[in-house]
Amino acid sequence: MPLYPGNGGRCGMLLLDGRFRGTWRIAAGGKSSGGRGSAAEDTATLLIQPFAALSDADEAALSGEGGALLGFAAARAAQHDIRIQPPGG
């Protein structure tokens, strides 16, 4: 049974085509650079850490699903950001 973030869990399981391919977590309440020195408060960032390189199609699918996840899990955040980290990083 997967352990989702919260209630003691540190990260969620990233499944692609039914295979465990990495982890994810949401970092909330931080600042995100808005360009030219401005900063947006209350940004929810989805951090995706794959175990191996992802195809462009997989990254596009993750971005779409990640946006939907942030829309639900961090609906009150002023901004949403999705970051796919390099494998093993």
Side-chain angles (χ1 to χ4, degrees):
M1 171 173 268
L3 180 62
Y4 301 99
N7 298 322
R10 291 180 31 107
C11 59
M13 293 179 10
L14 171 64
L15 297 177
L16 285 171
D17 296 326
R19 295 178 187 255
F20 183 33
R21 299 277 307 273
T23 60
W24 62 269
R25 67 183 177 92
I26 297 174
K31 294 181 180 180
S32 176
S33 175
R36 299 204 53 107
S38 65
E41 297 285 342
D42 196 24
T43 298
T45 303
L46 176 63
L47 301 167
I48 298 172
Q49 181 64 63
F51 298 141
L54 301 173
S55 69
D56 290 342
D58 285 342
E59 286 194 17
L62 285 173
S63 292
E65 291 293 324
L69 173 65
L70 288 173
F72 172 76
R76 293 185 183 200
Q79 288 189 319
H80 295 153
D81 187 21
I82 299 170
R83 296 185 189 167
I84 300 175
Q85 306 294 319

